[in-house]
Amino acid sequence: MSSANYDYDENSQTWPYFALTGILVPLIPATISLLKDQIAKKEESNDKFKSVEWFESYNKEDVQKLRKRKARSGAFFSKKFVFVAAGWALVGLLAYLIRNIDVAVSGTNFDPWKILQISERATTREIRSAYRKLSVKYHPDKVDTSKMSQKEIDAVDAAYVMINKAYKALTDDAVKENFLKYGNPDGPGEVTHGIALPKFLIEGRSSPFLVAIYILLIAVILPLGVGKWWSGVKAHTRQGIYSDTASGFLEHMLNFDPANLVQVKDILKLVSEAREYRDIDHALTPERVYDLLLLQLARRKPENPADELLKLKVVAETPRLLLSFLQIASAFRNTDVCYAIVDAHRCLIQALDIEDDRKMHKYRQILQLPGVDLANLDTEGAPGMFTLGKLLKKPTEDPAKFLGVGDNSAKVLDYASKIPLIEPLDCKFKVPGVDYIPPSSHVHIDLRFVVKSAAHKSKPEISKLSKEQVRTRLEEPNTLEALRNPYQIVFDQPAIAMDYVPPYFPDAKYFSENCGWVAFLIIQKDGRIGDSPGMVRRVDLSNLELTQEQFMSSDAKVSVFKLPMTAPTPAKEGNFQFRLVLKNLAFFGSDIEIPLVMKVETKPEEAATDDAYGIEPPSEDSLAGAMAQLRGDEVKQIESESESESESESSSSDDEDSSESEWTDMDTDTEEEDGKK
């Protein structure tokens, strides 16, 4: 019977294996996390993205300072990168040491044929011949050990012993039986447990210290790490904000009074109570945060110049909190609060106060342009240009005279022309695979549109679009891949990439990720939100670079947006009125409302009779017919004898009238006549 034995690393030969394992455990997850971060940053990077360098805002230096700081914090050479780089360098060193370690062949891996350097089909004569050659080579009396180290001498002796064992295992019957039974020519041996630590650490005076280390690791460090991770998970919501912050806004929504008019400043008061601001500065109070946010809207610096950087940090943090609040407010289906949150979001990005001042609200589309001042717009002789369209489409007066931007008027107009607007081409409810909306079905909103500049007039006709755009963007592909994933066409579009970042907003990265639209589905009956909002973040903006002639021709690109509905369609038939509202998160004047009608119906008559495969419905007396009746599908009725006789009598008259009915029901209008109609 075999006995157990513990083999300690007295010569420090196997410790690199132990160290390598301990290093790889945290190193591999850290490396994967670092690579994911870098891949995400590469996908989010926008080479065209730049600041408005020609506009000297009051806080330009502070904004640039904060942007550079954020860029450095997200740089590749971070603390995680240093840890990963040092870890893999250490792994390389340990791998080199392991490569140079000579590990003895254990008994369980004993291979006599390999030791003797012969094949498994070798004859007895070949075995003896190989043994003689190797014996001469490795015999202690034949090897010159005068120039060898003790390690090399021991290796020669061990090789000679293994050669003898291999020979006996193949020629001696008793030894051969042990080898075949136990895998070892010596028979059942000791079970050896290798420990990559010296014996004195386990069984010597140092053993209590080693035990203390293991206790500290398992009983203290590991529970603390898991507890800290779990507390961090419980302390934050799925949106990444503190649970306390979400609970405060949730309580407000539960106690919301619909009689109160919700304004931007009301939203800012609520968000100023967020716990996240205390992470920026522990001395920040809700009142202090609110004052700093108002300073941003007023485009003013704090009384203390040192607080300007603090203000920008607060402003950079707030939009992320607002988007989290938007998710909560939409769950309560509160349209007014959602709209106010969106307005607060873009007011902070544009540093524009539109509340309590009708003039600011009136000129908000023009005031979001760099360098434009309200004092120049609201004068007696200023033309009535309140929108981007009136500003760019053949204005009655030179914009340079009333914008107050001096020689930068051309740059301001170029900035205005890059603000994207949505021009819908088609918008409808869609169920994949069918051309109608069945009851209790899963549906999504399918919006086909073109992005245009405010300088573009009208929208291109579908007939003038390129065949590729019509085939790939307007026509729904009837393929298995499209049915399985109807939203893939949206993800194939490029992410929104703006040319400029608003000059007053300090976080360029956040703006690049949230300069799209938020889509609300509004129930026309009560004006409440009907489903969770969607984000339009993938849109082809190449149309902004087109001239009017190019935009109206085949050069225009079509974009697609699909908003999935979480709830199924109504179980009863009827027409249900909705509105699809798209509000831009960054710019004023880029919102749009689209009326929608959801026509819920059972299988239309034309669809029921026009089967694509020419298959008739099953008979009602068959098994397939019974199953179809359970599903509510159409079945073929069994005719009685009297009905069949009457049908045969009238068949001749029906045949006579068939040719006439075919012609009389035919649509004789031409395409030109249809157009006139």
Side-chain angles (χ1 to χ4, degrees):
M1 188 174 181
S2 63
S3 60
N5 184 34
Y6 294 94
D7 186 14
Y8 296 97
D9 187 21
E10 299 293 347
N11 297 321
S12 300
Q13 291 183 331
T14 57
W15 70 266
Y17 296 93
F18 180 81
L20 181 64
T21 304
I23 293 174
L24 288 177
V25 169
L27 183 60
I28 292 177
T31 304
I32 295 174
S33 176
L34 181 64
L35 292 176
K36 286 184 176 180
D37 293 342
Q38 296 305 316
I39 293 173
K41 289 179 182 179
K42 187 176 181 180
E43 293 177 351
E44 296 168 357
S45 62
N46 181 14
D47 296 333
K48 295 178 61 180
F49 198 73
K50 54 184 177 293
S51 302
V52 185
E53 299 293 342
W54 47 267
F55 173 60
E56 296 289 340
S57 61
Y58 73 94
N59 61 346
K60 184 176 182 178
E61 293 182 359
D62 296 306
V63 171
Q64 295 296 334
K65 186 185 298 183
L66 186 60
R67 289 176 182 173
K68 291 179 181 179
R69 183 176 298 181
K70 286 182 171 292
R72 287 196 300 268
S73 63
F76 186 79
F77 296 98
S78 58
K79 293 181 180 179
K80 184 184 292 187
F81 173 79
V82 174
F83 170 77
V84 171
W88 283 111
L90 189 58
V91 167
L93 177 61
L94 293 174
Y96 175 77
L97 295 176
I98 293 173
R99 184 180 179 184
N100 295 322
I101 294 177
D102 295 328
V103 182
V105 180
S106 64
T108 57
N109 296 324
F110 183 77
D111 189 351
W113 297 278
K114 186 177 181 180
I115 295 173
L116 295 177
Q117 301 176 9
I118 57 177
S119 68
E120 296 182 1
R121 298 179 180 180
T123 62
T124 304
R125 185 175 180 180
E126 292 174 344
I127 294 173
R128 290 176 181 174
S129 177
Y131 170 69
R132 291 192 187 100
K133 292 180 180 179
L134 293 174
S135 297
V136 173
K137 182 178 180 181
Y138 290 97
H139 196 281
D141 297 337
K142 303 293 184 180
V143 179
D144 185 11
T145 59
S146 59
K147 298 181 180 180
M148 292 184 178
S149 62
Q150 185 60 41
K151 186 178 180 180
E152 292 174 340
I153 295 174
D154 295 339
V156 171
D157 294 339
Y160 183 72
V161 172
M162 296 300 293
I163 291 170
N164 282 294
K165 285 185 178 183
Y167 176 70
K168 291 181 180 181
L170 298 178
T171 56
D172 189 282
D173 294 338
V175 179
K176 188 175 183 179
E177 183 180 356
N178 288 332
F179 168 66
L180 295 176
K181 188 175 182 179
Y182 303 105
N184 189 347
D186 299 329
E190 297 178 339
V191 179
T192 303
H193 301 278
I195 301 177
L197 293 173
K199 187 176 182 180
F200 74 90
L201 288 178
I202 306 296
E203 300 179 356
R205 296 180 179 180
S206 303
S207 59
F209 296 100
L210 185 64
V211 174
I213 292 174
Y214 275 103
I215 293 176
L216 184 65
L217 178 64
I218 298 174
V220 180
I221 298 178
L222 184 61
L224 285 176
V226 174
K228 185 177 181 181
W229 168 79
W230 181 247
S231 62
V233 172
K234 297 294 291 182
H236 293 80
T237 64
R238 297 180 61 182
Q239 289 77 25
I241 65 174
Y242 282 113
S243 300
D244 300 343
T245 303
S247 299
F249 186 75
L250 183 64
E251 183 179 356
H252 172 77
M253 294 303 304
L254 291 172
N255 300 321
F256 178 77
D257 186 2
N260 295 332
L261 180 63
V262 184
Q263 296 182 338
V264 169
K265 292 181 180 180
D266 298 326
I267 301 298
L268 296 183
K269 286 183 179 179
L270 292 174
V271 78
S272 62
E273 300 176 358
R275 179 181 168 185
E276 280 75 3
Y277 297 116
R278 261 59 77 191
D279 294 339
I280 299 175
D281 191 336
H282 293 288
L284 278 174
T285 61
E287 294 77 14
R288 177 71 169 153
V289 173
Y290 179 69
D291 292 337
L292 293 175
L293 294 177
L294 292 183
L295 288 175
Q296 171 71 4
L297 299 187
R299 299 182 179 180
R300 294 190 291 111
K301 281 191 173 185
E303 294 181 1
N304 186 3
D307 292 341
E308 177 64 18
L309 191 60
L310 178 63
K311 183 197 78 173
L312 295 177
K313 290 181 179 179
V314 170
V315 172
E317 180 67 21
T318 304
R320 183 177 67 88
L321 298 174
L322 291 175
L323 290 185
S324 299
F325 284 7
L326 183 64
Q327 297 294 327
I328 299 175
S330 63
F332 285 85
R333 303 173 59 193
N334 196 312
T335 307
D336 295 336
V337 175
C338 289
Y339 285 1
I341 291 174
V342 175
D343 284 340
H345 187 279
R346 51 189 173 188
C347 280
L348 285 173
I349 290 179
Q350 300 293 344
L352 192 61
D353 189 1
I354 65 170
E355 301 294 339
D356 302 330
D357 194 334
R358 295 182 179 180
K359 296 178 182 178
M360 293 286 292
H361 190 278
K362 180 179 179 181
Y363 292 101
R364 60 184 181 180
Q365 295 188 30
I366 309 300
L367 289 174
Q368 67 185 340
L369 305 179
V372 179
D373 191 4
L374 179 62
N376 296 321
L377 296 176
D378 190 36
T379 58
E380 186 175 348
M385 298 182 185
F386 312 130
T387 65
L388 297 174
K390 291 183 179 180
L391 178 66
L392 297 174
K393 296 175 182 176
K394 296 182 179 180
T396 56
E397 187 174 344
D398 186 6
K401 296 181 180 180
F402 63 91
L403 289 179
V405 293
D407 298 334
N408 294 321
S409 59
K411 297 177 181 178
V412 172
L413 296 178
D414 180 71
Y415 183 99
S417 65
K418 297 299 188 298
I419 296 178
L421 308 180
I422 286 180
E423 189 68 47
L425 298 177
D426 186 27
C427 188
K428 59 185 178 183
F429 290 97
K430 178 68 177 177
V431 176
V434 296
D435 296 330
Y436 63 100
I437 311 298
S440 303
S441 59
H442 294 285
V443 68
H444 65 263
I445 297 176
D446 186 287
L447 173 63
R448 312 291 168 122
F449 63 96
V450 293
V451 174
K452 59 178 290 185
S453 168
H456 291 147
K457 300 178 182 179
S458 186
K459 62 179 179 181
E461 299 179 8
I462 296 178
S463 59
K464 294 183 178 180
L465 296 174
S466 64
K467 294 181 179 179
E468 181 183 0
Q469 291 293 306
V470 174
R471 179 178 57 84
T472 60
R473 294 295 171 185
L474 288 179
E475 297 179 354
E476 190 76 19
N478 192 19
T479 61
L480 181 60
E481 290 77 13
L483 294 176
R484 293 178 60 183
N485 187 9
Y487 308 102
Q488 185 61 42
I489 188 174
V490 179
F491 295 109
D492 291 340
Q493 300 174 143
I496 296 178
M498 301 298 300
D499 285 343
Y500 301 102
V501 59
Y504 298 100
F505 188 67
D507 194 346
K509 182 176 181 297
Y510 177 86
F511 172 79
S512 64
E513 298 172 351
N514 298 278
C515 55
W517 292 261
V518 56
F520 299 99
L521 182 64
I522 309 299
I523 302 175
Q524 193 71 19
K525 183 178 181 180
D526 55 8
R528 305 189 70 183
I529 296 176
D531 213 306
S532 300
M535 295 295 178
V536 185
R537 291 193 173 102
R538 292 189 169 274
V539 171
D540 194 337
L541 299 182
S542 59
N543 293 342
L544 299 177
E545 305 293 338
L546 302 179
T547 63
Q548 176 64 27
E549 292 74 17
Q550 292 172 333
F551 178 72
M552 298 299 294
S553 66
S554 60
D555 295 330
K557 300 292 178 60
V558 179
S559 297
V560 182
F561 171 68
K562 293 179 180 285
L563 178 63
M565 306 286 294
T566 56
T569 59
K572 61 179 181 179
E573 296 184 355
N575 296 334
F576 303 91
Q577 307 289 334
F578 297 90
R579 285 184 293 125
L580 180 64
V581 180
L582 278 75
K583 286 186 168 293
N584 197 282
L585 289 170
F587 298 101
F588 291 99
S590 189
D591 303 339
I592 189 172
E593 292 191 11
I594 305 173
L596 284 174
V597 179
M598 179 187 291
K599 185 179 181 182
V600 180
E601 57 183 340
T602 56
K603 198 172 186 180
E605 184 177 352
E606 58 272 14
T609 58
D610 188 16
D611 194 289
Y613 299 97
I615 301 176
E616 296 183 353
S619 178
E620 65 176 348
D621 62 340
S622 63
L623 179 60
M627 297 298 294
Q629 286 181 324
L630 292 175
R631 295 192 302 267
D633 296 340
E634 182 184 359
V635 295
K636 187 177 181 181
Q637 302 292 329
I638 301 176
E639 300 176 352
S640 62
E641 294 183 0
S642 58
E643 290 176 347
S644 61
E645 290 177 359
S646 61
E647 280 190 13
S648 61
E649 292 176 357
S650 60
S651 60
S652 59
S653 60
D654 291 342
D655 293 337
E656 293 175 358
D657 297 336
S658 61
S659 60
E660 183 180 355
S661 62
E662 289 175 359
W663 288 101
T664 55
D665 294 339
M666 182 177 294
D667 187 6
T668 58
D669 293 336
T670 62
E671 295 182 359
E672 296 181 357
E673 292 174 342
D674 290 340
K676 293 178 181 179
K677 292 180 180 181

